[in-house]
Every structure is written in structure tokens, then in C-alpha cells.
Amino acid sequence: MQRVSHATIINNSEETKDPPLAQPKRRIHHHGTSASALIDTVQNPYKEKRISPLWRLLGVICLLGIPTACLLMLSSQRHQNRATTTSLTNHESLEAFDNTVKNWMVLMSKRSLSNFQNYQDPNLHTMTFRLEDEEFSQDDDQVVEKMRTFDAYVTPDVSTFYQEAPGSRQKMKPQFVGFGMKFINLSPKTVGLYWDDNKGGMLLAEVGPFQAIGTSTFAVHKFFCKDMKAKDPNEVLQNIPMHYGQNVYVYDAFSLEHANRKDLNKEEMELYKLQYENLEFGKLYKNFTGREWLALYPSKPKPIYPMWNADYFGQEHWVATDQVHYIEEPPASLLKTITERELRRRHDGTSASDLDVSLASYRSKETHLNLTLKVLSCSPRVFEIQNFLSHAEVDHIVHMATGIKLKVSSTSAGGSGSNRHSDAKTRTSKNSWLDRNRSPIIDTIYARAASLMQFDEALLRTRDYTEEQRFKEAGLTHRQSNGEYLQLVHYEVGQQYTPHHDFTYPHTSTVGQPERFSTLILYLNEGMRGGETSFPRFQNGHTADKLAVTPETGKAVLFYDVLPDGNMDEFSQHAAERVKEGEKWMINLWTWDPKRGY
């Protein structure tokens, strides 16, 4: 019998297989890359060539089909007839044709991406491993059966973020020295996690047996844990000093001889095995990727949603949505709360509802709204979207806000702990919540957000029985919305939200380990001094300073809270900088994977 603990790379950077066909369809959205450069882009996504008109048309025919290509050919011919030259090699003709192709490709790719297939990110690499304490016989067949595989996300070399050869730049160490910590209670007892404030300690949360919580911290911080039912209330089970570069901390009652595995009942033993295996996997994962494993193995799957790739700074993706802007705020009589039935009818594609007919005159006459996602950060993946909201939509939200009683925002130790607390030094804003049914404009914002993130809008609302059946193939067996209510937040002078993560740690018994998948921030005003959304630990090769996004009216910022392999993205730590002058209004929309878990 043998005990083995190792991981074997079977796909390195030279041997990585080409991504599936769905991946190149996404690359056509790259700024400056025409649809016809598809084949060349698959081989080298950073290389752009001028392709002959014949190859352009052939590429369109292959991707869109002959009928659509014929329409594009007619469109191109009409353009030629109006131009001073009939040659397709004319730069203006080529540019106009590329734009036509791009618009059609965006519309077609919208359909192909909204299919609940998780795309094979090229930075997912398969690790093959066996876990420590797994015993095998010398029979090779039995050993093979015990081998495990996991597609782990390996962050690309920072040089590629600048479209440069790997190794040409060094990753900068950020000035900000904070990080997120995950505390695991590997014990059959409930323990209290305390922050050591040199005044007896401040209770952050009560952590149940074999559960976990998380919080933001610094290397100078210290924590300790206590048995919540101990006879001596001052007895400390373990002191837990923080170390920069370490995210996971464990109270192991068994190695400290505070508990014995022989005394565990069946349920406790199952939980122990789950967390023990998770911790052993975490060691291999960190060795393989350089990151700490923050999720729960093997309970946490890959995300069910597609994720926009962020290959280099300034990269752009285009999305066309039929959720066009409101250019004028409708009268209050048309902005009443809408029913679930009306909500579904607005999006079922059968016929326009009476409400939509009445609202049409207040909306843009364009058939589609074009949105551009610009990459601000590759790790974490952060995108900026200008003009996501119109001024009329912003006015509507702010008008509603003036009639809402805002409450002091609260923060929590993220996880399965039982305590929540309000910390004036951490989060000092006020907020309220807006349901999707609140008004037709709010509904439009949800549907537009779904288009932006390339999944079905029905996932962001309650679904009926028929829709439930349609989503079962993706493993979604519930009707609950995968999106939270819109969180309307107001910051006055001096208010802020210090660096934090939006993800938490689900209870170990929760199937699928649902978690916040993405964060969409919508700015409702501008002109304040301060108030930026900052990412103090974004990975780059040119500055140690934080990435700071300035609020602009109608602008959106999208970032992902998880990685393509299902792990939480530690670098998604972000902050709302202190408002120094003026005020700040914004909205948060969080989406969950695989379902809403609050």
C-alpha cells in the first residue's frame, strides 16, 4: 500500500489544445479585428492582418451562412455604388464593410453565446493528481481509477497583458498590502472568531463545525478563536497571526489534540473528510497555479455562465442588445410596478404588450443599442462600458431614490457564520434595494445587463413552469432569480467602503456552492471629487498604484468575482474611495452562480 500526494501537468503552455469553436466566435469582438480574420485570430489572437475581400466573404459565408452573407454582399455593393471608387481595396470601403460584418457578427454571436455552455478558457490547464491519505493497491488498473483531474485556471504572464512576449515584464508588487483571509473551523464545535484589537477582542462571527468565513485583513492584524460553550470565557483555542501571501487559515482541533476523529459521528466524519480533502486539494492547486484555493473542492463546479475574456489592456468587445435606451422619462402612470406575468410577456418574443406599445414613444428609435466593453484590468477581469444608462433612465432612478428611505449599509464576515455587524470604519454609505418589478425601466436595466453578460434575461427573474423546463438541461432546477435586487447606494462627503470582496463562503451542505459570480456597477452621477471604484491589487507590469475608475453618469463597470475554474478571485478585492467633495450615487447588480444563495 502507498500514500501519494502529487499533481502532474498534462497541458503546459506549449501543448495547450486549441480552444473549442465557440471561443473564436468571441474573439471576433476584439477591437480592430475584422470578422474575416477569424482563422488567423485563432492561431494568434494578438496578430491582425488585412485580409483580401474574397477571404472576407468566405469567412462570412462559413460563419453566418449563405443567406446572411448574400445580404452583406448586397450591402457592400450599395456602398461601392455610392463611393468614388468601385474597388473593394479602397480603405473606406473596407472599413465600412468591416463595420457591417461586425454588426452582423455581434448579433449572431449573441445567439450562440447565450446557451449555458461554459467556454473552455485557454488558460484552463488540466492537473492530474491523487490526494494524500488515499490508499491504493499495487494493481495499476486500480491506481488509474483513483487518479483525479481538475481544470485549473493559471493566470497568464503579465507581459501578455501588454501584447508582449512572456517574460518581457515583471509583475509589480502593489502598494496596498491588504488581502482576504478565509478561516476554516476544522472542529466538531462552534467557535467564535475574534479580531484581536488589544481590548479583549471583537467577535466577527460564530463559525459552525467544519464551516468557513472570510474577511479583509492586513499582515499586522491578529485573530484568535474560542469555544463558544467553554466554561472559561477567556480560554483561547488558537492565536491566528496574519501573513502576507497567505489567505487560508485553519483551526485544526485534531492536530492540536482538542478533538479526536474516533469521537465523530457519521455526519461529522463526512464533514471532516470533505474539509480535509478540500485542504489537501488546496495545497496541490496552489503549487499548480500559484494561487490559493478559496472555494470548496469537489463541491464547487465551474461557472455555468460564459465569461468575457480579458487578454490585454484596452481590448474591446461589442454587444448589440434590443434593450434600447429610454430617451425621455415616461409619465408616472406608465411607470408603475409590473406583475410577474407582464414581466414574462415583455420578453417572451411573441408580441408587444400594451405597456410596451405605450412606452415606445419614449425610447430610442434604433432597433439595437451597441455596447462596448473595454478591458481595464486582466486580473481581475474588469471592464468599462460607456453609456450603459441614458440620462432619462438615470433621472428615473434618482427620482425614485428621493422617495426611498435609505438605511445605513452593513457589512459582514463573509461566510456561514451567524453574526453580521455594522462597521462605520469599513462601510459608511447608505443604501436601499430595487426589485426588477419596480418599473418598466428597472426591468429594462436587468434585461440589458443580461445581454451585456451574454446570458438569458429569464435568469434574472422568477421563472414559470415552462421556463423551468427549458433551463433544466443546464442543471437549473429552480425558478428563483439568479440576480439580486438592485442595490441603490449613496455616499456623502467622507463616506467610503474600504477594500473588500463581494463573494462569501457558502455552508458546506449547500449544493453547488452558490456564489456571487459578477458585479455590475452603474454610476448615476459624476463631478464629485474622490469616490472612485478602485482595485488596489490589480495585476500589471507598470505601476504599484491601484486601478481607479472615475464615476461618470450612465457608465457601467463589470468585473467577475470568480475565476473560470470556479475558484474565488482574490484579486477582485475593490473599494469605494472616500468622497472628498460632492456626493456619489450608484447601483450594484450582483449575479449568482449557479443560483441566488441569499
Side-chain angles (χ1 to χ4, degrees), residues 307-579:
M307 296 177 67
W308 286 111
N309 51 313
D311 300 316
Y312 54 89
F313 295 118
Q315 180 183 16
E316 292 184 348
H317 304 287
W318 292 278
V319 171
T321 174
D322 57 3
Q323 300 299 315
V324 296
H325 282 147
Y326 283 82
I327 56 177
E328 182 182 350
E329 187 175 5
S333 60
L334 294 177
L335 296 177
K336 296 180 180 179
T337 300
I338 51 182
T339 65
E340 292 289 343
R341 182 177 180 182
E342 181 72 23
L343 200 62
R344 286 190 288 271
R345 186 182 174 189
R346 295 192 78 201
H347 302 284
D348 64 9
T350 55
S351 62
S353 66
D354 294 338
L355 177 61
D356 285 320
V357 172
S358 301
L359 290 170
S361 60
Y362 300 94
R363 304 187 73 169
S364 170
K365 304 307 178 186
E366 299 291 332
T367 58
H368 286 83
L369 170 65
N370 295 316
L371 300 171
T372 300
L373 298 92
K374 182 178 180 180
V375 174
L376 301 182
S377 169
C378 303
S379 177
R381 299 186 188 192
V382 182
F383 307 85
E384 179 184 72
I385 307 96
Q386 295 286 352
N387 301 315
F388 183 87
L389 297 175
S390 70
H391 284 283
E393 292 162 349
V394 169
D395 289 344
H396 171 66
I397 298 170
V398 174
H399 289 166
M400 284 196 303
T402 58
I404 296 174
K405 185 177 181 181
L406 300 178
K407 298 179 180 179
V408 176
S409 302
S410 64
T411 184
S412 65
S416 51
S418 60
N419 284 11
R420 294 180 59 88
H421 64 279
S422 178
D423 184 352
K425 294 183 179 180
T426 300
R427 187 173 191 178
T428 54
S429 60
K430 294 183 178 180
N431 72 77
S432 187
W433 302 86
L434 299 173
D435 189 3
R436 180 172 178 173
N437 300 54
R438 183 67 178 266
S439 79
I441 292 181
I442 300 299
D443 171 43
T444 296
I445 293 172
Y446 272 92
R448 189 180 300 156
S451 294
L452 180 75
M453 292 182 277
Q454 296 290 281
F455 54 77
D456 198 305
E457 60 80 28
L459 288 173
L460 299 183
R461 58 176 169 82
T462 303
R463 298 173 290 282
D464 62 14
Y465 176 77
T466 302
E467 291 172 318
E468 180 186 17
Q469 301 307 304
R470 178 159 58 93
F471 289 109
K472 273 190 174 181
E473 291 185 4
L476 300 177
T477 57
H478 64 94
R479 302 183 190 178
Q480 193 177 20
S481 173
N482 283 35
E484 296 186 34
Y485 290 175
L486 295 180
Q487 185 193 44
L488 178 63
V489 188
H490 179 235
Y491 292 87
E492 297 178 345
V493 172
Q495 294 183 329
Q496 63 176 332
Y497 194 174
T498 57
H500 62 282
H501 295 90
D502 284 348
F503 58 76
T504 57
Y505 297 98
H507 194 279
T508 54
S509 63
T510 307
V511 177
Q513 291 291 286
E515 187 50 75
R516 280 176 173 168
F517 167 76
S518 64
T519 300
L520 183 65
I521 298 174
L522 309 178
Y523 298 115
L524 304 180
N525 72 319
E526 59 187 46
M528 75 290 295
R529 192 163 63 91
E532 300 90 351
T533 301
S534 64
F535 297 84
R537 299 169 61 201
F538 87 110
Q539 305 293 282
N540 71 90
H542 67 274
T543 181
D545 203 359
K546 57 195 171 188
L547 169 67
V549 184
T550 301
E552 298 176 56
T553 304
K555 182 169 76 175
V557 169
L558 170 68
F559 64 91
Y560 294 109
D561 302 297
V562 299
L563 298 171
D565 60 8
N567 192 17
M568 290 80 156
D569 190 349
E570 164 66 10
F571 296 130
S572 67
Q573 191 172 20
H574 59 286
E577 296 293 325
R578 186 186 304 275
V579 175

Side-chain angles (χ1 to χ4, degrees), residues 223-243:
F223 297 84
F224 59 85
C225 59
K226 294 182 178 180
D227 183 349
M228 299 303 294
K229 296 182 179 180
K231 295 180 180 179
D232 182 1
N234 296 318
E235 181 183 0
V236 173
L237 296 173
Q238 183 179 2
N239 289 300
I240 311 170
M242 297 292 99
H243 302 284

Side-chain angles (χ1 to χ4, degrees), residues 107-305:
L107 293 174
M108 293 301 292
S109 66
K110 181 176 183 293
R111 297 193 195 108
S112 64
L113 284 171
S114 302
N115 59 8
F116 309 102
Q117 298 285 332
N118 186 48
Y119 295 93
Q120 184 70 16
D121 191 293
N123 298 303
L124 286 173
H125 300 267
T126 302
M127 50 186 283
T128 304
F129 60 95
R130 292 194 292 263
L131 293 177
E132 186 177 352
D133 256 6
E134 287 187 333
E135 298 185 354
F136 307 95
S137 68
Q138 298 300 321
D139 189 326
D140 289 340
D141 291 336
Q142 290 181 327
V143 172
V144 170
E145 290 177 357
K146 292 290 185 177
M147 294 294 288
R148 305 190 189 197
T149 61
F150 182 85
D151 290 336
Y153 181 80
V154 180
T155 305
D157 186 283
V158 71
S159 304
T160 64
F161 299 167
Y162 302 85
Q163 298 180 264
E164 298 174 0
S168 60
R169 290 181 184 247
Q170 296 297 316
K171 184 168 62 176
M172 299 291 291
K173 184 177 180 180
Q175 293 178 354
F176 178 76
V177 293
F179 53 94
M181 69 89 82
K182 177 183 180 181
F183 171 77
I184 299 176
N185 176 22
L186 195 63
S187 155
K189 296 182 178 181
T190 297
V191 302
L193 180 66
Y194 292 78
W195 174 53
D196 189 351
D197 59 356
N198 295 319
K199 299 178 182 179
M202 183 179 77
L203 178 65
L204 294 181
E206 297 181 13
V207 189
F210 307 103
Q211 304 305 316
I213 67 159
T215 188
S216 295
T217 187
F218 294 87
V220 295
H221 285 171
K222 296 179 181 179
F223 297 84
F224 59 85
C225 59
K226 294 182 178 180
D227 183 349
M228 299 303 294
K229 296 182 179 180
K231 295 180 180 179
D232 182 1
N234 296 318
E235 181 183 0
V236 173
L237 296 173
Q238 183 179 2
N239 289 300
I240 311 170
M242 297 292 99
H243 302 284
Y244 187 79
Q246 180 181 347
N247 300 109
V248 179
Y249 298 82
V250 184
Y251 166 57
D252 186 348
F254 304 95
S255 64
L256 293 174
E257 298 184 351
H258 295 169
N260 193 315
R261 284 191 295 181
K262 295 180 179 180
D263 297 328
L264 300 179
N265 59 38
K266 183 178 180 180
E267 181 181 356
E268 292 171 337
M269 180 57 74
E270 289 300 318
L271 290 174
Y272 169 81
K273 288 180 178 179
L274 177 62
Q275 281 291 11
Y276 182 84
E277 183 175 273
N278 176 60
L279 290 168
E280 291 302 310
F281 171 80
K283 297 175 185 177
L284 302 179
Y285 182 89
K286 185 174 183 179
N287 182 64
F288 190 88
T289 67
R291 286 177 178 259
E292 293 234 35
W293 174 253
L294 301 177
L296 183 65
Y297 176 85
S299 302
K300 179 62 177 176
K302 294 179 185 177
I304 62 172
Y305 306 126

Side-chain angles (χ1 to χ4, degrees), residues 25 28 35-36 38 56-73 97-112:
K25 290 182 182 178
I28 62 171
S36 58
L38 179 61
R56 292 171 185 272
L57 296 180
L58 287 176
V60 171
I61 291 171
C62 293
L63 288 170
L64 300 183
I66 293 176
T68 304
C70 290
L71 289 174
L72 294 177
M73 291 167 64
F97 184 74
D98 276 354
N99 289 336
T100 305
V101 172
K102 181 185 74 176
N103 290 337
W104 277 92
M105 292 299 291
V106 168
L107 293 174
M108 293 301 292
S109 66
K110 181 176 183 293
R111 297 193 195 108
S112 64

